[in-house]
């Protein structure tokens, strides 16, 4: 009988949880392999450095022309297809809503018809807004059917499904991914979904500030302003209020929310976003949110690294770390596609996910 093997997944953010679940689902029932999820932070944790519970989150395409953006689009389309299925279960915290985008000064990629077909063509109900439908100052607009996520609910949903399928968990703070090889029986593969990696010089954080309000809305709306900044409103399903955002501050380690930023976010939201009138036109603020998105120069690291474990005289070869981290602010949008790519590397023995587009 083959020796039992443990695959360790590091990290319980949206990428780690999705990867652990997809890996658990992909293992044959007769397999001798099991999955152990190891993390410092969990869906019940409140930490600036655990970004996933703070996310909006919604599905919105991000057009581009680079190999990185094309690879991300392939991952995003896989996630959109998964959200369609998951949204049918109310316990997931995912709901289908109307998505609207208003751009005052659209970048070149938004004016490229081929790029728009690539990045928006898979969306149900997609159409350009007529000039008569555009608010003052907006020159480019679209609408489509999309999905919004109550992120704390969805994280708990992923974890619950993983455990019910036989997955195991352990709360543990790792100093190095190689430490994970000692946390289970016969660990030959470790999956690194740690967010910023372990000492990766290309990794950095992007500070974001948003505001959670009780005011309900049924549409997720994104607006690009003339100065290049972006604003958005994202309803959280299951009466979770609405996230109003937001900011992006690379390498900004300030943990404190700014009242001035909150006032700007709410002032813009009052002008642009469709809230109902039961609150008398005022916002009922639940809290200011500051989180650190785990980003990486050049995009996510999705590849296999072969390592030796053990000290001098006891080194063991034949071990590998499959990396999947650095999603920045697109963790939810890319999550199911990223998990599929990572699981393919784990189970099929590949070395690297090629940069490609699934059109």
């Amino acid at each position: 009988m083959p020796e039992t093997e443990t695959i360790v997944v590091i990290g319980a953010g949206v990428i780690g949880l999705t990867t652990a679940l997809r890996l658990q689902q992909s293992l044959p029932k007769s397999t001798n392999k099991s999955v152990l999820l190891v993390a410092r932070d969990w869906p019940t944790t409140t930490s600036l450095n655990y970004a996933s519970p703070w996310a909006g989150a919604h599905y919105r395409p991000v057009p581009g022309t680079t190999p990185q953006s094309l690879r991300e689009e392939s991952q995003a389309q896989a996630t959109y297809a998964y959200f369609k299925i998951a949204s049918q279960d109310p316990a997931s915290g995912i709901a289908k809503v109307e998505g609207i985008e208003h751009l005052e000064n659209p970048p070149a990629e938004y004016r490229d018809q081929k790029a728009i077909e690539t990045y928006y063509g898979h969306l149900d109900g997609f159409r350009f807004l007529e000039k008569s439908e555009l608010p003052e100052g907006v020159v480019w607009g679209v609408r489509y059917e999309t999905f919004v996520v109550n992120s704390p609910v969805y994280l708990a949903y992923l974890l619950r499904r993983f455990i019910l399928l036989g997955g195991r968990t352990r709360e543990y703070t790792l100093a190095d991914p190689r430490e994970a090889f000692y946390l289970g029986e016969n660990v030959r593969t470790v999956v690194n979904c740690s967010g910023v990696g372990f000492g990766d010089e290309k990794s950095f954080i992007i500070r974001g500030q948003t505001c959670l309000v009780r005011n309900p809305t049924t549409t997720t709306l994104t607006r690009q302003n003339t100065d290049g900044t972006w604003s958005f409103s994202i309803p959280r399903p299951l009466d979770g209020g609405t996230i109003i955002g937001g900011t992006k501050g690379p390498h900004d380690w300030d943990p404190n929310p700014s009242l001035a930023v909150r006032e700007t976010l709410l002032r813009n939201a009052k002008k642009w976003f469709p809230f109902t009138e039961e609150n008398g036109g005022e916002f009922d603020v639940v809290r200011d949110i500051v989180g650190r998105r785990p980003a990486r120069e050049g995009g996510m690291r999705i590849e296999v690294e072969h390592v030796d474990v053990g000290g001098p005289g006891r080194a063991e070869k034949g071990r590998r770390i499959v990396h999947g981290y650095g999603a920045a602010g697109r963790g939810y949008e890319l999550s199911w596609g990223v998990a599929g790519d990572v699981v393919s590397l784990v189970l099929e023995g590949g070395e690297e996910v090629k940069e490609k587009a699934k059109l």
Side-chain angles (χ1 to χ4, degrees):
M1 183 175 180
E3 185 179 6
T4 300
E5 179 181 338
T6 301
I7 302 171
V8 176
V9 177
I10 301 172
V14 67
I15 297 293
L17 285 168
T18 307
T19 299
L21 173 60
R22 190 156 187 182
L23 180 56
Q24 186 71 36
Q25 291 176 328
S26 302
L27 294 177
K29 290 184 179 179
S30 59
T31 187
N32 65 322
K33 296 181 174 64
S34 65
V35 183
L36 172 65
L37 179 62
V38 176
R40 177 193 62 198
D41 300 311
W42 297 88
T44 55
T45 304
T46 301
S47 169
L48 287 175
N49 298 312
Y50 180 44
S52 291
W54 306 114
H58 65 168
Y59 183 95
R60 188 184 80 83
V62 180
T65 57
T66 66
Q68 174 194 337
S69 65
L70 291 170
R71 181 180 73 174
E72 290 183 357
E73 179 54 24
S74 174
Q75 295 162 339
Q77 290 190 25
T79 305
Y80 186 82
Y82 172 74
F83 280 177
K84 275 188 185 181
I85 299 170
S87 65
Q88 297 173 24
D89 182 355
S92 69
I94 299 175
K96 183 171 72 173
V97 299
E98 179 184 37
I100 297 175
E101 297 184 31
H102 291 156
L103 277 62
E104 296 183 358
N105 184 26
E109 52 266 28
Y110 285 88
R111 299 180 182 274
D112 183 330
Q113 185 64 32
K114 184 177 180 181
I116 296 304
E117 290 174 359
T118 298
Y119 288 85
Y120 287 85
H122 66 289
L123 299 170
D124 295 334
F126 171 77
R127 69 175 179 87
F128 285 97
L129 296 177
E130 302 290 339
K131 188 174 182 179
S132 61
E133 298 177 277
L134 299 177
E136 182 179 355
V138 173
V139 300
W140 189 96
V142 296
R143 64 86 55 204
Y144 46 83
E145 292 179 6
T146 190
F147 299 93
V148 291
V149 183
N150 186 320
S151 45
V153 172
Y154 180 59
L155 296 176
Y157 170 80
L158 293 173
L159 179 58
R160 182 169 64 252
R161 292 188 65 201
F162 169 71
I163 292 172
L164 289 175
L165 284 173
R168 295 175 292 124
T169 64
R170 179 172 177 179
E171 182 176 338
Y172 190 88
T173 300
L174 293 153
D176 188 283
R178 289 169 293 185
E179 193 176 354
F181 288 100
Y182 300 96
L183 299 184
E185 182 180 1
N186 188 30
V187 180
R188 308 190 68 80
T189 301
V190 169
V191 182
N192 176 19
C193 298
S194 58
V196 294
F198 290 83
D200 185 339
E201 294 181 353
K202 293 185 177 181
S203 291
F204 63 98
I205 59 99
I206 300 176
R207 179 189 183 275
Q209 180 173 333
T210 60
C211 187
L212 175 63
V213 299
R214 292 185 176 89
N215 308 59
T217 182
T218 58
T219 298
T220 179
L221 198 156
T222 302
R223 180 164 178 137
Q224 182 240 24
N225 312 312
T226 303
D227 63 2
T229 60
W230 295 79
S231 302
F232 55 81
S233 63
I234 305 173
R236 277 186 164 181
L238 304 176
D239 298 319
T242 302
I243 294 288
I244 297 174
T247 67
K248 291 184 179 180
H251 308 285
D252 185 347
W253 290 93
D254 186 355
N256 304 300
S258 163
L259 181 58
V261 169
R262 179 215 281 191
E263 292 173 347
T264 298
L265 295 178
L266 297 185
R267 184 170 59 251
N268 289 340
K270 195 171 185 178
K271 289 189 298 183
W272 297 330
F273 301 145
F275 288 94
T276 52
E277 295 297 326
E278 65 265 30
N279 294 95
E282 299 300 322
F283 287 107
D284 185 359
V285 175
V286 178
R287 65 176 299 169
D288 298 299
I289 295 173
V290 173
R292 293 170 180 154
R293 307 176 183 99
R296 186 174 182 274
E297 296 174 12
M300 289 194 71
R301 184 183 184 189
I302 303 178
E303 64 181 4
V304 177
E305 177 185 5
H306 295 278
V307 297
D308 298 336
V309 298
R314 53 188 293 267
E316 299 179 14
K317 299 183 181 297
R319 303 296 193 270
R320 59 186 185 144
I321 300 174
V322 181
H323 297 285
Y325 64 86
R330 301 199 71 196
Y332 282 85
E333 293 167 316
L334 306 181
S335 56
W336 194 254
V338 167
D341 287 342
V342 171
V343 169
S344 292
L345 292 179
V346 172
L347 299 182
E348 298 173 12
E351 295 295 320
E352 182 181 9
V353 174
K354 301 300 182 183
E355 295 172 333
K356 61 183 179 181
K358 188 182 294 181
L359 304 182

